[in-house]
Amino acid sequence: MTVESSELFQAFSKLKVHDHACLIYETRAQQYQAVIPFLKIGLERGEKCVYILDEQSQAQIQKAFRKGGIPVEDAIRTGALSILSKHEAHLRNGKFDPDRMLQLLQQETECALSQGYSALRVSGENSWAAGHEPGNERLLEYEAKLNHLFTQNKILAICQYDRWRFSPEIILGILRTHPILIYGSSVLENLFYIPPEDFASENQPAHEIDQILTTLKTLKKKGRELARSEEELRRKKEAVEQEQIISQGLKEQTAALSKYAYSMEYLRLSDRSIKHISPSCELITGYRAEDFLHDPDLIDAIVHPQDRGKIKQHAKAAWKKTAGAQTHEAEYRILRKNEEVRWLHHHCQALLDKQGQLIGRYASDFDISAYRQAEAALQESEARFRLLIENAPEGIFAQTDGKIIYANPAAVRFFGAKNAEELLGQPVLERFDPQYHKIIQQRIKTLTREKFKVPTLEEIYLKMDGTPFDVEVSAVPYQWQGKDGSMAFFRDISDRKAAERKSTNEAARRRILMDQSRDGIVILNQEGEVYEANHRFAQMLGYSHEEIYKLQLWDWDARISKSSLKEMIRDVDEKGDFFETQHRRKDGSLIDVDISTNAATFEGQKLIFCICRDISDRKQTEAEILANNEYLNTLTKILQYQSENIQDFIDFSLEQGIKLTGSLFGYVYFYEEETQQFTLNSWIRNDEKRCNLNVPKAIHQLEKAGLLLETIRQRKIIVMNENSKKNCPIKRSLTIPVMIDKKIEAVVGLADKESDYSEINIMHLSLLMDAVQKVLQQRETLEALVTSEERYRTLFDQSIDGIYLHELNGKILDINQKACLQSGYSRDELLQMSVFDLHPRESRVISTKSEVLSQWKQWRVGNTQIFEAEHIRKDNTVYPIEIASTMIQYGEKNCILAIVRDITDRKQAAIALQEYSDHLEEMVAERTRELEQAQQELLIKERLATLGQLAGSVGHELRNPLGVISNVIYILEASFSPEEVQKHEYTRMIASQVQRSNKIISDLLNFAREPGTKKTQVDLPDLVAKLLKQNPAPKNVRVKSNLKQTLPPIFADPQHVEQVLINLLSNACQAMLKGGNLYINAQKKGEFVHLSIKDSGEGILPEHLEKLFTPLFTTKTTGIGLGLPISKKLMEANGGSIQVESQPNQGSTFTMILPTAEGENAR
Amino acid sequence: MPGKHRLLVVDDDPLNARTLADIFTIKGFEVDTADSGPNALEMIHNQSYSCVLSDIKMESMNGVELLVAIKAIQPGLPFILMTAYSDDELILQGIKEGALITLIKPLDIDRLLGHIAHILHMDVIF
């Protein structure tokens, strides 16, 4: 399809139902060009299409349609398209009858609509009308009438007319009768159309005149409108283009100028208005962008009055139309909003449209105030600067490309040149000592390429004659005539260097002196910190040389307090001081030192110089000499010591030993090898205040003796200088065994010397003890008799047993005090008696007196016999004894020593034991019975628990039917009239039985359930009163509650107490069916309250009494015997119990025993 | 006064539900019964009730679950729980969830009626 036809297609798609169009065509192509799209659109829209043929055949037209894209066959088959011949339409019955034709069209339309088409679309060839067909004179009439038909029906049509077939008059008529005209490729509103009411009427000419005039007017108006809109379009196009140019310009400008922080950009159009201005204008001018946009003249107004002429000139040039695209620059001052003056560099460029016409200029004003100021300042300072450099004492020179380009007079002088010119142009490296060339090249690179300042460096320069000299150089990057270079500032430091070298040497020498010193040397600052120290000093203190520097004086001085040391540091001066002290080494050990110290001020700081000499060896020697002297003195003292007894001598010796060794305390234990027992002999403290030891008098077991044990075991001196055992009060000790004839007799110990026990101490003490032993041995023989008598007497009298010394005939020779106490006789009485007098006559002794006597006669010294017997006291009481008899030699003759022990206690214990063992069997039997019973009970309990669980679940299930029954009873009761007494009675019976069943269920449930208690303080009188009110007793029972308000509250679960009370009260009432008295009493007993409920009923049979609390035991016809077991269980769960007392026919008393709240708190 | 009130009895034991409903009818209440929690919820959705009485032990949804569900929709609707199990933990839970009264079967009808009269007189619960 061609473009034109497609345009036509679009135009045709605008044709609507009711449109009546005519097609004036000149060729067949024109005809098809209109008709085919018309029908195609109709088919697409679901309209019924009818085509009326004239000259062409059916086949021809179908072919043409098919070619034009109309699905001819399908459309015809479905009925959407009908192609009729003129004889089937206009010329039906051989004659054209407009009215009939109109009628036909109307019918066709209705038919189409009824078939579901949305309208009828018709196109017909009317060439027949140009011929001689009868009735064709009515063609125009017909066409006019069609307009009416079309307005009223859903129909549209194109009537086709071959222009050259008809006379112009007819064509004119055709034109007048169709509101729409299709001509060429246009669908036009027909301005020459005449409505059917006017057509062919009298008004037609007048109307036509009107129409022509109106049309002319319309045409003119349309023409003007067209011109206007064309103009509008052009303007818009231009504006768009200009806008594009502007925005492109802005874009470029923004991109170009965005790098300047201190610039403002704006666009000024030819009319001087400001189109855009960057917000940075506020920074520069103090005015905001809006200010400039509202008042474009502001940009001129802010120009400094003195620069306005300049700017005017600039503007003249810049705004010249012929200025073209060139740029303009200017520098000018502005007055900021705050009157401050700023220098701006103005740069502007023309913005041109396509024709090269100036639209505006975009400008960027760069704030160069800072430069201007710097420039001014620079100019001012340049002179000063030059003066400075020229006169600087430092050498200054500059280089570019490695050649000297400037040297100040000082540099000239330092380099030993005649004048500056001699240096200029010379390679800079020639002035450096070769060892620095590499460094210098690197530095020059840093300066020229990276433009970094290089740090100050000591270098060696060469004079013009090659003499080296020390310099200190710093250099900065420098640009001269566009070339990167550097400027160096140097100072001759030859003198300083020389001095430094000298002092370095001296320092090294001093260091050697210091380090080689045999004495420790330490230099302290005022804070007592190590400023310097030699290795020897560190070595003396056992630290590494590095560690020493972390220390302060008081970290190592062990004798002088920190405050004193601080004072010493403050006070020491050049004259110095000399003293002795002790230093503490890293390992904690102490060394004696001599200190020689003096102070000096160095760099404004006071330093203290100390020489420390280790004098430990000297000290030790001194101490040893002193100790030996002391020892000799002590020894002399001991040997010369005059005392009456050994104890005194031992004490004295011990005391001397303590003093000699400087110990805190000492002791002497005697040792008996046979019994392995230690007995304290002496115990002396040197310092009462410090020592709080409790020394045991006797240590019976060797294993417990510790140190003593070691001494015995090793049979040598034991020194303990570091006690690692905790809780042992003794820190250091020295223990020495004292041996006589290779047998250890005693152990002497000294303890808690201030310092460790030394070899000297050991030596001295062992020698001392040796001397003591010897003295003792001599003395012992002398004093033995005296002391042994005394000792014997003491032992004899203090024995816990009675001791009898008697002759072989039984006569008592001696007795001890205990014997008197035992027997009840006095000493004198006993000395008159025989041992046989002490035996009761009816004694159960094994042997008779004569037997004993003859036995004794056969005894030898040392023979012993131990036996049990009985003694009779003076008061005739008999007591059991155990006698140990031994034959001893007493003076000339043999005697018997009898040790008599009262064994009453032992005997009684034995009897008790016997009794116990006799009972044991019985007890076992009893216990077994108890166990069996408990097991039985347990079994029952278990069985009951299972039963209870079963009963519980059954009970629950029963409650639902009971619920239904009780509901029904309620309904029945409501349905009976009050007169139906018997019915009421029956329902009440059911109700009471339901209640009873429920009670059984509740009991079962209660019994099956483990009671969880919620204990609280319960006031019993209140609770009982409440219960009696809620559950009144039968009328024939008199209740006498005698509960005092003073009764203390109990601690229990109130619900449980309530349940038990209700149960007991109800039991009591049931026991008194014939009436009686119910007493309620309570009293506090200890930590419990006893609440008793007493009835005057029938009582309980004794055989029933013990089964009362057994589950399921009952004497009643109602109830299942769970009430009391539950009560018991609840009371026990609350820490109480329940008791019962009863006599047949005398009533029963049930007592609830519950803990008081007070008692509970106490517990 | 009772004539205005409509009660809902929920119990999976049909006899229990029916007899209880009959009693309420005699007493002049409008009564509906439901045999399960879900059914009860549906009924509450379609009809407004003055009070709900529900059994605890029921299949699919127990009384306490029903209570919780109802409280979520109608927090103010009075709720009474009934059960045959006096030591059920669900009772405690029911009280915690806002059941006004829990009653043990067989019910003490006079007491129940007293409670209901009291509840309905209170008008607004919580």
Side-chain angles (χ1 to χ4, degrees):
Chain A
M1 201 180 274
T2 63
V3 175
E4 277 176 348
S5 68
S6 112
E7 274 173 19
L8 204 62
F9 195 90
Q10 277 200 333
F12 278 126
S13 66
K14 283 180 191 148
L15 283 180
K16 306 183 298 290
V17 175
H18 308 306
D19 280 347
H20 181 208
C22 67
L23 166 69
I24 310 292
Y25 65 94
E26 292 174 23
T27 63
R28 191 63 74 196
Q30 281 180 350
Q31 186 191 9
Y32 289 152
Q33 199 182 345
V35 172
I36 291 171
F38 178 71
L39 290 178
K40 231 171 150 181
I41 290 167
L43 287 173
E44 278 167 19
R45 289 187 184 170
E47 291 165 356
K48 166 82 179 178
C49 298
V50 176
Y51 190 85
I52 301 165
L53 288 166
D54 187 354
E55 293 183 317
Q56 295 182 80
S57 69
Q58 180 97 6
Q60 272 177 321
I61 200 81
Q62 283 197 13
K63 190 181 169 191
F65 282 178
R66 217 174 289 125
K67 203 176 166 194
I70 295 174
V72 181
E73 281 77 15
D74 280 356
I76 290 173
R77 189 166 35 80
T78 58
L81 174 66
S82 303
I83 301 174
L84 307 175
S85 69
K86 59 186 174 188
H87 302 292
E88 288 170 297
H90 303 100
L91 299 179
R92 200 180 268 193
N93 303 330
K95 185 186 173 192
F96 177 62
D97 183 345
D99 293 326
R100 207 185 53 226
M101 188 61 200
L102 289 172
Q103 204 182 344
L104 176 74
L105 284 174
Q106 192 164 3
Q107 279 170 5
E108 277 296 316
T109 309
E110 281 161 11
C111 180
L113 291 175
S114 74
Q115 283 170 3
Y117 296 102
S118 59
L120 184 68
R121 182 174 285 241
V122 185
S123 188
E125 295 170 23
N126 288 332
S127 295
W128 55 269
H132 305 285
E133 301 293 348
N136 62 0
E137 69 280 357
R138 296 180 69 185
L139 177 69
L140 290 179
E141 177 200 338
Y142 163 71
E143 288 286 13
K145 280 181 176 171
L146 269 179
N147 287 323
H148 249 306
L149 178 82
F150 275 44
T151 52
Q152 287 158 8
N153 291 283
K154 290 193 161 187
I155 178 169
L156 70 163
I158 295 178
C159 309
Q160 307 168 24
Y161 291 95
D162 187 338
R163 173 148 185 209
W164 307 118
R165 283 279 185 105
F166 291 90
S167 68
E169 290 79 26
I170 294 291
I171 293 293
L172 198 60
I174 293 300
L175 287 176
R176 283 173 178 157
T177 48
H178 288 86
I180 295 166
L181 177 66
I182 300 165
Y183 182 70
S185 59
S186 304
V187 177
L188 306 167
E189 183 193 355
N190 187 3
L191 295 171
F192 305 98
Y193 165 69
I194 295 167
E197 55 270 27
D198 293 335
F199 186 76
S201 73
E202 290 165 8
N203 290 337
Q204 191 183 346
H207 186 271
E208 272 187 74
I209 292 163
D210 278 353
Q211 199 158 27
I212 290 165
L213 289 175
T214 316
T215 307
L216 281 174
K217 242 194 254 170
T218 313
L219 276 176
K220 194 174 179 192
K221 199 173 150 202
K222 292 264 183 193
R224 273 204 308 273
E225 279 175 10
L226 188 65
R228 254 206 314 276
S229 60
E230 270 178 6
E231 172 66 16
E232 180 104 356
L233 195 68
R234 195 181 54 78
R235 269 208 310 275
K236 278 188 179 162
K237 214 168 157 189
E238 274 176 10
V240 167
E241 279 171 4
Q242 189 167 336
E243 202 65 42
Q244 275 172 348
I245 294 165
I246 290 169
S247 72
Q248 183 59 33
L250 281 178
K251 230 184 194 166
E252 283 168 11
Q253 189 187 20
T254 313
L257 298 176
S258 61
K259 52 189 158 193
Y260 299 114
Y262 281 101
S263 78
M264 61 178 195
E265 297 87 47
Y266 57 93
L267 175 72
R268 205 163 192 194
L269 299 182
S270 304
D271 61 0
R272 294 295 191 271
S273 70
I274 290 176
K275 180 76 181 169
H276 160 86
I277 185 160
S278 64
S280 56
C281 67
E282 196 175 349
L283 271 174
I284 296 167
T285 65
Y287 294 97
R288 288 176 304 152
E290 296 94 276
D291 298 335
F292 289 103
L293 295 175
H294 289 150
D295 178 10
D297 293 335
L298 182 61
I299 203 120
D300 301 320
I302 58 171
V303 176
H304 194 282
Q306 289 178 10
D307 288 350
R308 277 190 192 149
K310 189 157 85 175
I311 286 300
K312 227 173 227 172
Q313 289 243 300
H314 162 80
K316 223 174 179 180
W319 289 104
K320 218 180 255 174
K321 290 208 167 162
T322 53
Q326 78 189 88
T327 59
H328 292 266
E329 285 181 52
E331 274 184 18
Y332 68 104
R333 282 167 292 173
I334 57 157
L335 282 173
R336 293 187 85 240
K337 201 175 182 180
N338 61 0
E339 300 286 298
E340 192 191 319
V341 175
R342 285 269 171 108
W343 275 97
L344 298 186
H345 178 96
H346 174 80
H347 174 279
C348 65
Q349 191 167 10
L351 185 64
L352 305 173
D353 65 9
K354 276 185 178 171
Q355 285 76 38
Q357 291 294 309
L358 186 68
I359 298 170
R361 303 193 69 84
Y362 44 77
S364 64
D365 283 15
F366 187 55
D367 189 341
I368 53 164
S369 308
Y371 290 148
R372 274 301 168 100
Q373 277 161 17
E375 211 172 77
L378 203 64
Q379 278 168 2
E380 200 184 309
S381 70
E382 211 227 314
R384 257 200 332 253
F385 184 63
R386 179 166 284 280
L387 200 70
L388 226 100
I389 289 190
E390 292 287 323
N391 291 295
E394 293 200 337
I396 301 170
F397 67 92
Q399 65 80 26
T400 56
D401 297 332
K403 294 204 169 99
I404 295 172
I405 52 158
Y406 171 79
N408 75 343
V412 171
R413 202 170 58 243
F414 284 133
F415 282 123
K418 288 186 199 107
N419 50 38
E421 282 68 33
E422 201 179 341
L423 284 166
L424 299 186
Q426 297 290 318
V428 77
L429 282 180
E430 278 185 11
R431 299 274 67 77
F432 288 91
D433 186 292
Q435 62 171 308
Y436 287 97
H437 282 183
K438 222 171 183 178
I439 300 173
I440 297 306
Q441 277 165 343
Q442 183 59 45
R443 274 162 76 89
I444 287 175
K445 201 171 142 192
T446 308
L447 285 160
T448 55
R449 291 207 196 146
E450 293 161 28
K451 300 201 169 46
F452 277 138
K453 184 175 183 265
V454 290
T456 305
L457 186 71
E458 287 183 5
E459 296 166 7
I460 296 171
Y461 279 5
L462 300 176
K463 288 182 191 275
M464 295 306 277
D465 61 5
T467 319
F469 64 107
D470 291 299
V471 286
E472 191 180 70
V473 189
S474 60
V476 292
Y478 175 70
Q479 206 177 37
W480 191 70
Q481 291 181 344
K483 282 183 180 169
D484 286 326
S486 63
M487 188 180 272
F489 303 81
F490 67 94
R491 179 183 296 173
D492 187 338
I493 54 164
S494 303
D495 294 346
R496 200 181 86 197
K497 275 303 220 189
E500 255 179 37
R501 280 184 199 113
K502 202 174 150 197
S503 84
T504 310
N505 290 344
E506 198 176 306
R509 270 202 309 279
R510 283 191 194 145
R511 164 120 338 261
I512 291 165
L513 274 175
M514 199 164 150
D515 278 349
Q516 296 300 312
S517 168
R518 272 201 69 245
D519 293 324
I521 298 170
V522 60
I523 301 167
L524 305 171
N525 64 12
Q526 276 161 297
E527 274 71 51
E529 293 159 348
V530 173
Y531 181 83
E532 201 165 352
N534 68 355
H535 283 95
R536 171 67 187 147
F537 180 73
Q539 201 184 349
M540 268 168 70
L541 293 187
Y543 287 94
S544 72
H545 197 237
E546 288 71 36
E547 285 171 330
I548 278 290
Y549 284 91
K550 290 169 192 156
L551 299 180
Q552 283 180 291
L553 175 54
W554 30 87
D555 293 327
W556 67 75
D557 198 299
R559 190 176 288 170
I560 306 167
S561 71
K562 189 174 171 181
S563 57
S564 305
L565 288 168
K566 278 187 170 171
E567 216 168 286
M568 285 165 79
I569 289 171
R570 204 180 56 227
D571 295 344
V572 68
D573 54 16
E574 298 80 20
K575 287 173 203 157
D577 199 359
F578 184 83
F579 58 94
E580 237 184 78
T581 183
Q582 270 187 323
H583 281 180
R584 180 176 291 111
R585 287 168 57 83
K586 190 182 181 183
D587 62 10
S589 63
L590 299 174
I591 52 168
D592 292 292
V593 284
D594 263 356
I595 305 288
S596 157
T597 176
N598 65 316
T601 304
F602 179 69
E603 290 178 346
Q605 195 182 3
K606 184 179 179 181
L607 293 177
I608 298 102
F609 191 77
C610 309
I611 298 174
C612 314
R613 177 164 295 171
D614 186 345
I615 53 163
S616 297
D617 292 349
R618 196 183 83 200
K619 274 274 162 188
Q620 203 176 338
T621 319
E622 272 175 22
E624 277 169 19
I625 292 166
L626 207 70
N628 281 332
N629 283 343
E630 261 178 55
Y631 164 68
L632 287 173
N633 283 340
T634 310
L635 202 60
T636 319
K637 272 186 206 163
I638 288 171
L639 291 173
Q640 288 171 353
Y641 189 72
Q642 298 295 320
S643 77
E644 291 305 315
N645 59 48
I646 290 177
Q647 190 62 51
D648 188 24
F649 177 72
I650 291 174
D651 287 351
F652 177 76
S653 306
L654 189 59
E655 208 175 310
Q656 291 304 313
I658 290 169
K659 276 187 190 159
L660 187 64
T661 54
S663 298
L664 206 57
F665 61 89
Y667 52 84
V668 177
Y669 274 95
F670 284 140
Y671 177 67
E672 262 188 80
E673 243 173 20
E674 288 79 12
T675 58
Q676 296 191 335
Q677 185 172 323
F678 292 95
T679 318
L680 184 69
N681 176 268
S682 276
W683 159 241
I684 293 171
R685 297 172 182 179
N686 199 11
D687 180 356
E688 294 281 339
K689 273 175 267 171
R690 223 208 85 187
C691 191
N692 55 356
L693 292 175
N694 288 320
V695 173
K697 281 199 173 150
I699 301 168
H700 296 281
Q701 284 161 295
L702 193 58
E703 285 73 25
K704 286 186 183 167
L707 267 176
L708 305 179
L709 169 73
E710 277 304 302
T711 314
I712 299 299
R713 193 176 285 161
Q714 298 186 19
R715 302 179 87 84
K716 68 172 196 191
I717 297 163
I718 302 281
V719 179
M720 181 188 69
N721 276 330
E722 257 179 66
N723 191 351
S724 54
K725 279 187 195 165
K726 281 186 179 176
N727 305 327
C728 181
I730 297 171
K731 294 296 164 215
R732 295 189 187 87
S733 66
L734 174 61
T735 2
I736 293 178
V738 179
M739 309 223 274
I740 297 169
D741 295 338
K742 292 182 183 171
K743 196 172 143 196
I744 293 173
E745 290 289 333
V747 176
V748 176
L750 296 175
D752 280 8
K753 185 190 169 185
E754 272 294 313
S755 56
D756 291 352
Y757 285 100
S758 62
E759 285 297 320
I760 304 274
N761 293 145
I762 297 163
M763 190 180 76
H764 286 170
L765 195 69
S766 49
L767 287 173
L768 193 67
M769 283 304 135
D770 218 31
V772 171
Q773 267 172 39
K774 288 193 173 118
V775 173
L776 277 178
Q777 272 175 345
Q778 286 170 13
R779 288 193 176 208
E780 207 166 21
T781 43
L782 287 170
E783 285 176 18
L785 289 174
V786 186
T787 48
S788 76
E789 166 56 22
E790 268 173 21
R791 203 186 305 158
Y792 174 71
R793 174 56 55 200
T794 315
L795 284 171
F796 194 62
D797 277 346
Q798 283 177 355
S799 171
I800 59 158
D801 296 323
I803 301 174
Y804 296 79
L805 185 67
H806 61 87
E807 290 183 44
L808 294 182
N809 61 5
K811 173 149 177 45
I812 295 171
L813 290 174
D814 199 357
I815 32 94
N816 70 351
Q817 282 171 5
K818 187 72 185 177
C820 303
L821 287 172
Q822 269 179 1
S823 61
Y825 294 102
S826 72
R827 183 177 168 82
D828 292 339
E829 282 171 333
L830 279 173
L831 288 176
Q832 300 300 318
M833 288 163 67
S834 150
V835 285
F836 294 105
D837 298 336
L838 292 167
H839 292 276
R841 277 172 211 279
E842 294 91 27
S843 171
R844 290 175 293 163
V845 283
I846 306 147
S847 317
T848 59
K849 186 181 167 183
S850 55
E851 276 172 348
V852 173
L853 284 171
S854 65
Q855 206 177 355
W856 281 345
K857 270 175 195 161
Q858 289 160 18
W859 273 23
R860 292 193 187 153
V861 172
N863 275 15
T864 304
Q865 189 184 28
I866 298 172
F867 59 95
E868 281 185 20
E870 283 177 329
H871 272 184
I872 185 161
R873 293 197 187 86
K874 193 180 175 183
D875 62 4
N876 282 330
T877 53
V878 174
Y879 60 101
I881 51 156
E882 185 187 75
I883 303 178
S885 299
T886 311
M887 174 82 78
I888 59 164
Q889 195 170 4
Y890 186 68
E892 295 289 305
K893 53 194 174 181
N894 288 344
C895 287
I896 302 232
L897 181 70
I899 296 168
V900 178
R901 181 167 293 178
D902 183 341
I903 56 166
T904 309
D905 291 346
R906 204 169 82 187
K907 277 281 167 197
Q908 270 170 5
I911 289 163
L913 195 67
Q914 184 58 47
E915 275 173 5
Y916 182 77
S917 84
D918 292 346
H919 280 292
L920 202 57
E921 227 169 292
E922 222 171 280
M923 279 162 65
V924 169
E926 172 86 0
R927 186 78 192 119
T928 311
R929 263 200 306 283
E930 276 172 20
L931 280 172
E932 274 170 2
Q933 199 175 342
Q935 201 182 356
Q936 201 73 30
E937 276 170 19
L938 202 66
L939 215 66
I940 292 168
K941 261 191 192 165
E942 253 173 43
R943 234 180 257 156
L944 280 171
T946 319
L947 190 68
Q949 274 167 12
L950 184 69
S953 53
V954 170
H956 275 136
E957 289 311 314
L958 284 173
R959 270 185 175 165
N960 269 320
L962 282 181
V964 176
I965 295 170
S966 80
N967 287 354
V968 172
I969 294 164
Y970 197 92
I971 297 165
L972 284 176
E973 287 248 309
S975 69
F976 298 154
S977 70
E979 291 78 42
E980 293 175 287
V981 180
Q982 206 167 9
K983 284 185 181 172
H984 277 293
E985 201 187 328
Y986 287 142
T987 50
R988 271 198 293 275
M989 276 158 77
I990 302 172
S992 86
Q993 292 312 302
V994 167
Q995 219 171 0
R996 193 175 143 195
S997 309
N998 194 38
K999 170 82 169 64
I1000 292 169
I1001 291 167
S1002 296
D1003 279 353
L1004 274 173
L1005 292 178
N1006 278 334
F1007 186 74
R1009 183 165 40 201
E1010 267 314 310
T1013 56
K1014 282 182 197 157
K1015 291 188 193 181
T1016 174
Q1017 205 162 301
V1018 183
D1019 191 65
L1020 272 180
D1022 285 358
L1023 184 67
V1024 171
K1026 183 187 104 184
L1027 288 180
L1028 288 174
K1029 203 172 163 190
Q1030 281 175 358
N1031 310 284
K1035 280 176 184 167
N1036 55 1
V1037 173
R1038 263 183 302 168
V1039 179
K1040 294 180 179 178
S1041 174
N1042 189 24
L1043 298 185
K1044 295 187 178 101
Q1045 283 302 326
T1046 52
L1047 195 69
I1050 56 157
F1051 189 74
D1053 186 330
Q1055 282 196 349
H1056 292 167
V1057 178
E1058 195 176 313
Q1059 200 177 334
V1060 176
L1061 268 170
I1062 290 172
N1063 189 25
L1064 294 183
L1065 290 172
S1066 121
N1067 280 353
C1069 292
Q1070 280 178 25
M1072 301 183 288
L1073 288 175
K1074 290 168 190 160
N1077 294 323
L1078 179 69
Y1079 303 94
I1080 304 174
N1081 284 302
Q1083 64 183 111
K1084 184 178 177 255
K1085 286 186 181 174
E1087 288 179 351
F1088 290 89
V1089 166
H1090 290 229
L1091 178 79
S1092 62
I1093 292 158
K1094 185 169 188 279
D1095 64 63
S1096 60
E1098 56 204 3
I1100 302 162
L1101 292 171
E1103 62 265 34
H1104 290 164
L1105 209 52
E1106 57 186 26
K1107 293 183 192 164
L1108 222 45
F1109 294 103
T1110 310
L1112 308 179
F1113 171 79
T1114 182
T1115 55
K1116 292 176 207 159
T1117 47
T1118 65
I1120 53 168
L1122 285 175
L1124 284 173
I1126 290 169
S1127 297
K1128 184 169 177 245
K1129 202 166 160 181
L1130 290 178
M1131 292 306 287
E1132 282 165 1
N1134 282 282
S1137 58
I1138 188 162
Q1139 289 176 355
V1140 60
E1141 280 172 51
S1142 182
Q1143 296 265 315
N1145 300 321
Q1146 286 183 22
S1148 318
T1149 306
F1150 283 84
T1151 307
M1152 293 166 67
I1153 301 171
L1154 285 159
T1156 59
E1158 211 174 273
E1160 184 63 30
N1161 285 341
R1163 274 188 289 277
Chain B
M1 197 261 297
K4 299 175 200 163
H5 294 290
R6 185 178 278 272
L7 309 178
L8 177 61
V9 177
V10 190
D11 200 324
D12 58 354
D13 181 339
L15 276 184
N16 230 324
R18 202 196 114 183
T19 51
L20 203 53
D22 287 349
I23 291 170
F24 287 132
T25 309
I26 290 167
K27 289 293 165 184
F29 290 98
E30 307 257 353
V31 197
D32 288 333
T33 61
D35 60 356
S36 72
N39 283 348
L41 279 175
E42 203 184 319
M43 292 174 78
I44 286 165
H45 188 71
N46 298 323
Q47 172 77 48
S48 87
Y49 292 98
S50 304
C51 180
V52 177
L53 296 94
S54 173
D55 189 23
I56 289 185
K57 285 260 154 83
M58 289 189 290
E59 293 275 318
S60 79
M61 185 185 215
N62 71 34
V64 179
E65 286 164 345
L66 175 62
L67 163 62
V68 173
I70 287 178
K71 288 285 167 190
I73 337 164
Q74 293 187 38
L77 181 56
F79 201 97
I80 296 175
L81 279 172
M82 310 176 289
T83 182
Y85 297 82
S86 51
D87 57 346
D88 203 314
E89 268 190 24
L90 284 171
I91 294 179
L92 280 179
Q93 207 185 323
I95 292 167
K96 218 182 279 171
E97 295 294 347
L100 285 185
I101 298 151
T102 53
L103 297 169
I104 310 290
K105 293 177 184 176
L107 303 173
D108 183 335
I109 301 295
D110 285 326
R111 213 171 124 218
L112 171 62
L113 289 170
H115 280 312
I116 288 177
H118 186 60
I119 289 166
L120 298 182
H121 184 66
M122 276 164 75
D123 259 336
V124 180
I125 314 295
F126 303 125

